[in-house]
Amino acid sequence: MVESPSKRPTLAVFKFASCDGCQLTMLDCERELLAIADRVEIAYFLEARSRTLDGPYDIGLVEGSVTTEHDAERIREIRDQCRTLITIGACATAGGIQSLRNWADIDDFIRQVYASPQYIETLATSTPISDHVKVDFELRGCPIDKRQLVMLITDLLLGKQLRVPRYSVCLECKLKHTVCVAVARGVACLGPVTQAGCGAICPEYARECFGCHGPKESANPVSLARHYQRGQHDPSHLVHLLSNFNAAAPPFRNAAEMLEQNSPLSNEGRS
Amino acid sequence: MASPRIGSWIKIPKERLQQLIDTLASDGYRVVGPRIRDGAIILDDLTDIRQLPAGVVDEQDGGHYRLREDPTAGWFDFVVGPQSLKPFVLPPREPLLQLQRTSETWQTETPEIDDRPVAVLGLRGCDLHALSIMDRVFLEGPYVDPRYEKRRASLFLIGVHCRRAAPTCFCHSLKTGPALPAGFDLGLSELEEHFLLEVGSRRGAAVAARLQGEEPASGEITRARMATRALEQRMHDRPLHGDRRTAGRWLETDHLRDRLLGNLEHPRWSEVAERCLACANCTMVCPTCFCTTVEEVSDLSGDSVTRMRRWESCFTWEHSYTTAGPVHPTTQSRYRQWLTHKLASWHDQFGTSGCVGCGRCITWCPVGIDLTEEVAALGNEVPHA
Ligand code: SF4
Ligand code: SF4
Ligand code: SF4
Ligand code: SF4
C-alpha cells in the first residue's frame, strides 16, 4: 500500500452524475464507520469532510455515471490517482436512471427541464464508469447495500479476494422463507433476473423486486417478461419495470426492446 | 394410562388436536404446523388450532399458487406449501464455527445447536419420504453430519394421509404418497367430526396415551384408508382423462435413469434453457436438494471470523466454480445437472430417486417449468450408451 503520513491506506470517494445516496450509505454505516475511520485514512470524501489530501490514493470509490465531457476527462485522472478503483451504485455500474436519455432526444429533455437550456453542456448519453476506464470491482445497487459495503471494505483491508454473490434475489428470498410474490400473488417481480445483495427486502414487504442491483449472472429477462405477459401483465408496465436504475444494463435493455418491438407501444412506453 | 401399541389407532374429536399441541408443548417441544402467511401455507409456530387453515385449499400449477376457501374442505385438504422439513434439519444459514485470534493462536468454538425439540404437524407422504432421503445423505453415508443428526433426532413427526392432491402432485408415480409411509410418530386421517390417529412410534404412543382417545368404531379405519386410496386411484386415472387439473401430474419412471443419462445431448436441454432463469427457486424449495456452501465472514480487524454454511444451488455460477471457471457455465448445463442429479445419478449415489413428486419445484418456478414435462419431452427411448 502507498505510504501515507499515518501509514493507513488512504480512501477517496468521488461523485459523478448521481443522487449521493450511495455516499450516504457509507455515512449510514454508523456502527462500523468509526472502526473504518480507524483503519483507513479518509483522504478525500467531500460529503463527509472538508479537509482533503492530495492523491495518489490506495482505494477510490466512485459514485455516479459519466454524463459530461468534463466528467469523462475527470474519471481518467481519478483512475490514474487510485491504486484500486471501485464503482458503487447503479449509476456508476450501469449508467443509472439518467441513462434513459440514451434512447431519447437529449435536446428535448434539456428544453423541458431547464429554463435556460443554452447554459447546459452535456453528453447525449449517461454511461457507466467502466465504459471509460478500467474498474477493479463493481458494487451494485440503488443505493448500495450497507452490509455489502462494509464487507467489501473489510475484504480490501484484509487483502482478501473481492466478491459479491452473482446469483438471483430469489435465492435470498428463499433463505428467508419469504413467500414469492410472483407465484403467490401474480405480481411481476424482477427478482429472478436480478443480482442478490439487498437481502430481498422488497418481497419481504410484499413488493416486487424492481431490479436495483441490476442483472444477475446468466440473466434471462426475455423469458421472464414473456411469462409475465402471458400472465396478463401489460407490456408497458414491464418495460417500465425494466427501465429503472439499470435501464442501460444490456440484458434489461434487450428485454425492454423485445417487449417494445412485439407490442404496439408508443413513446409513452418508455418515458 | 397404558400406552397404546405401535400400529394401533385412536379416535379423537377434531378439537382435541388442541390437546395434542398442548401436550407436546408441555413436553418441551416447539410445535410447528401449517399456517397462512402472505398468501401461502407455510410451517410456523402453532399454539392454537384456530391458527390452522381449516376449510382452505391451495390452487397450484406451474408458477402459480393461490389459496381459496372451500366449504367442502376439511382441516388438511390443502397440500404442500413452499417449505418442507428441510429447514428444520438443515437451516438455510447457520454458523459452523467461530474463530477468534489471540496473541499466539486462533481459538475455535463450535456454536451450540438450539436443542429444543421440534414437533411438526401436517406432514405428507412425500415429506416423510424426502426426510428419509435426506437421512441417507446426511446420516447413512461415510460421513455423518453431527448438526443434522442432532436436529433430526429431536423431530416429532405428525403426518396426514392426503385426501386431495394438487395438479402439481405426482407422488403416485414415485410411490411416495398420497398415503403416509412408515416413519411418523403419529399419523392423522380425517373423518367428518373426528381424526383417527395411528401410532407410529413409542414416542407417539406416549403422547397418544394422554389424549383420551377412544377406539375407532368398526369400519372407520377402512373408511379413512379408502379416502386416500380413492385419491390415489383418481391420480392414476388422470392420464386416461387427459386432465391434469383434477389430480396430479405423472412422471414415467421406467428406465428413467438411462433415458436421462443417455440423452445428454438432446435438443430439449437447450429449449428449456431458453425459458429457465437459473434463479434457483426449484432447488431451494425441493425437500431433498441438500447442497450447501461455506463462507467465512470476518469483522473489520480480521480477528473474529465466523464460518457460515448456507443453502447453495447448482443453478448458480458459484456452485460449480473452480479456479478454471465454472464447470456449468450455461443455464443449459445447469438445468441438465439438476434434472440428471435428481432423477438419475442420485440412484447411483444414494440408491434412491432424489425426487418424491411433491411438485414444489413446478409451482414455485417463476416461469412454471415442469420437470415431468421436460422428462416426457426427452422421449421414452433408452438410447444405447
Ligand atoms: S418474490 Fe421475487 S425475488 Fe422473491 S422468489 Fe419470488 S420472484 Fe424471486
Ligand atoms: S424435484 Fe420437484 S417434485 Fe421432486 S422432490 Fe424436488 S421439488 Fe418435489
Ligand atoms: S439437484 Fe443441484 S442443488 Fe439439488 S442436490 Fe443436486 S446438485 Fe445440489
Ligand atoms: S427451472 Fe424454474 S425455478 Fe428452476 S432455475 Fe429454472 S426458472 Fe428458476
Side-chain angles (χ1 to χ4, degrees):
Chain A
M1 294 261 157
V2 180
E3 291 277 304
S4 73
S6 58
K7 304 271 199 306
R8 289 171 300 172
T10 52
L11 174 79
V13 183
F14 304 98
K15 175 186 158 64
F16 284 72
S18 59
C19 76
D20 287 37
C22 291
Q23 294 185 68
L24 279 176
T25 303
M26 183 139 185
L27 294 176
D28 192 30
C29 294
E30 290 143 4
R31 222 157 34 94
E32 298 85 358
L33 196 60
L34 288 178
I36 292 173
D38 266 355
R39 284 166 204 280
V40 297
E41 173 79 64
I42 297 180
Y44 186 95
F45 186 7
L46 292 181
E47 184 140 327
R49 180 167 209 187
S50 50
R51 186 207 71 171
T52 59
L53 302 177
D54 289 338
Y57 310 106
D58 293 308
I59 307 164
L61 300 181
V62 180
E63 175 197 87
S65 68
V66 174
T67 56
T68 65
E69 203 49 73
H70 170 247
D71 276 353
E73 194 47 50
R74 188 161 63 98
I75 190 59
R76 283 192 282 274
E77 285 160 19
I78 289 173
R79 172 70 269 192
D80 288 344
Q81 293 283 311
C82 297
R83 193 159 166 260
T84 302
L85 188 79
I86 295 170
T87 50
I88 57 172
C91 300
T93 59
I97 185 93
Q98 59 272 30
S99 67
L100 288 177
R101 66 161 72 169
N102 299 8
W103 310 282
D105 181 355
I106 185 69
D107 295 326
D108 231 25
F109 272 127
I110 295 175
R111 272 193 303 275
Q112 285 187 35
V113 175
Y114 297 98
S116 311
Q118 66 274 22
Y119 298 120
I120 304 299
E121 238 176 67
T122 182
L123 295 170
T125 54
S126 166
T127 43
I129 301 297
S130 60
D131 278 11
H132 301 266
V133 294
K134 177 177 172 290
V135 169
D136 297 303
F137 196 76
E138 294 190 325
L139 192 62
R140 309 257 203 95
C142 183
I144 51 168
D145 178 82
K146 193 162 114 174
R147 288 154 310 167
Q148 277 202 319
L149 179 67
V150 172
M151 205 166 326
L152 180 83
I153 294 176
T154 306
D155 289 351
L156 266 171
L157 293 176
L158 298 177
K160 284 168 71 173
Q161 188 188 27
L162 304 184
R163 287 188 310 173
V164 285
R166 304 178 67 183
Y167 48 75
S168 70
V169 174
C170 297
L171 201 145
E172 293 191 311
C173 255
K174 290 294 183 280
L175 295 180
K176 289 178 150 182
H177 301 309
T178 299
V179 173
C180 175
V181 300
V183 171
R185 299 198 7 241
V187 174
C189 177
L190 283 188
V193 296
T194 301
Q195 181 166 292
C198 59
I201 323 169
C202 294
E204 204 176 347
Y205 290 92
R207 284 220 36 190
E208 70 277 24
C209 162
F210 45 104
C212 72
H213 276 237
K216 71 180 272 284
E217 179 274 338
S218 296
N220 189 355
V222 168
S223 165
L224 187 66
R226 285 205 181 111
H227 177 80
Y228 286 148
Q229 245 185 308
R230 276 193 300 275
Q232 313 303 317
H233 283 283
D234 186 25
S236 74
H237 168 68
L238 300 172
V239 171
H240 280 294
L241 194 60
L242 287 160
S243 308
N244 278 312
F245 327 100
N246 290 283
F252 285 6
R253 176 65 194 148
N254 294 342
E257 268 172 7
M258 182 276 295
L259 287 162
E260 283 174 332
Q261 276 158 18
N262 294 347
S263 61
L265 277 187
S266 57
N267 292 336
E268 166 268 334
R270 169 159 289 275
S271 50
Chain B
M1 179 181 163
S3 285
R5 279 175 301 106
I6 293 175
S8 68
W9 297 63
I10 61 165
K11 180 168 107 173
I12 56 168
K14 284 190 170 172
E15 286 67 32
R16 205 166 296 158
L17 275 193
Q18 184 63 52
Q19 204 173 321
L20 173 62
I21 295 172
D22 297 342
T23 305
L24 287 163
S26 72
D27 284 356
Y29 282 97
R30 172 186 169 209
V31 185
V32 168
R35 293 186 62 172
I36 295 176
R37 194 184 73 201
D38 297 330
I41 294 173
I42 53 134
L43 294 171
D44 207 349
D45 289 86
L46 202 65
T47 52
D48 191 314
I49 52 170
R50 282 168 300 187
Q51 294 161 334
L52 289 167
V56 172
V57 293
D58 41 12
E59 279 173 19
Q60 300 199 38
D61 209 337
H64 177 90
Y65 182 102
R66 294 290 185 283
L67 295 177
R68 67 178 159 79
E69 297 199 357
D70 181 341
T72 66
W75 286 32
F76 291 98
D77 284 333
F78 47 84
V79 292
V80 293
Q83 278 158 313
S84 62
L85 274 172
K86 182 162 80 174
F88 296 96
V89 282
L90 185 68
R93 253 191 268 253
E94 69 169 324
L96 294 180
L97 194 66
Q98 185 69 45
L99 295 121
Q100 191 68 45
R101 188 173 8 217
T102 61
S103 45
E104 305 91 51
T105 176
W106 285 91
Q107 261 174 7
T108 65
E109 199 186 307
T110 310
E112 285 296 323
I113 299 172
D114 175 8
D115 56 7
R116 182 161 177 213
V118 180
V120 191
L121 170 66
L123 298 164
R124 309 307 167 118
C126 57
D127 288 321
L128 294 184
H129 268 282
L131 188 64
S132 67
I133 292 174
M134 291 288 256
D135 287 349
R136 291 205 187 190
V137 175
F138 286 99
L139 302 177
E140 291 161 26
Y143 303 102
V144 171
D145 185 296
R147 302 182 81 83
Y148 179 98
E149 186 178 36
K150 193 157 178 202
R151 293 190 171 100
R152 174 68 177 93
S154 76
L155 274 184
F156 188 100
L157 306 166
I158 307 162
V160 174
H161 293 277
C162 288
R163 302 193 303 186
R164 174 187 165 268
T168 41
C169 296
F170 55 101
C171 56
H172 62 306
S173 40
L174 291 149
K175 301 188 177 62
T176 54
L180 290 169
F184 54 80
D185 294 298
L186 292 172
L188 286 182
S189 298
E190 190 164 353
L191 298 174
E192 291 74 31
E193 308 293 334
H194 295 87
F195 286 112
L196 297 188
L197 260 80
E198 187 181 351
V199 175
S201 68
R202 279 170 52 192
R203 267 199 304 205
V207 172
R210 288 182 280 162
L211 297 180
Q212 288 104 36
E214 42 180 307
E215 190 144 331
S218 112
E220 276 180 328
I221 296 177
T222 316
R223 199 146 59 80
R225 284 200 171 124
M226 280 312 293
T228 300
R229 219 162 281 160
L231 167 63
E232 190 172 354
Q233 194 55 50
R234 283 203 302 283
M235 294 173 84
H236 276 289
D237 289 347
R238 179 207 55 91
L240 302 178
H241 305 311
D243 179 12
R244 65 153 58 133
R245 244 138 274 274
T246 48
R249 279 158 156 85
W250 177 258
L251 180 73
E252 184 50 64
T253 53
D254 228 19
H255 299 292
L256 182 54
R257 178 191 173 280
D258 298 334
R259 266 154 55 215
L260 283 165
L261 296 183
N263 268 314
L264 296 178
E265 302 305 328
H266 197 285
R268 184 71 183 193
W269 299 115
S270 63
E271 286 161 37
V272 69
E274 273 177 34
R275 296 169 57 215
C276 178
L277 313 168
C279 66
N281 274 302
C282 46
T283 50
M284 293 290 118
V285 295
C286 179
T288 65
C289 270
F290 56 76
C291 281
T292 57
T293 188
V294 169
E295 295 165 331
E296 274 168 7
V297 190
S298 53
D299 70 350
L300 264 173
S301 65
D303 292 339
S304 171
V305 180
T306 309
R307 183 172 294 172
M308 297 290 295
R309 170 160 79 176
R310 79 158 163 78
W311 291 355
E312 175 61 300
S313 161
C314 54
F315 280 97
T316 72
W317 177 89
E318 288 89 343
H319 184 272
S320 70
Y321 183 77
T322 67
T323 44
V327 176
H328 295 299
T330 62
T331 301
Q332 176 178 339
S333 65
R334 293 179 206 168
Y335 190 87
R336 189 173 55 194
Q337 160 64 24
W338 138 260
L339 216 63
T340 54
H341 189 210
K342 292 260 82 151
L343 303 176
S345 53
W346 207 290
H347 285 279
D348 307 331
Q349 217 180 343
F350 304 111
T352 159
S353 161
C355 174
V356 296
C358 70
R360 285 184 179 91
C361 58
I362 305 173
T363 298
W364 300 97
C365 169
V367 290
I369 292 173
D370 173 349
L371 80 168
T372 66
E373 206 176 303
E374 295 313 309
V375 168
L378 292 173
N380 286 329
E381 302 276 304
V382 183
H384 295 288

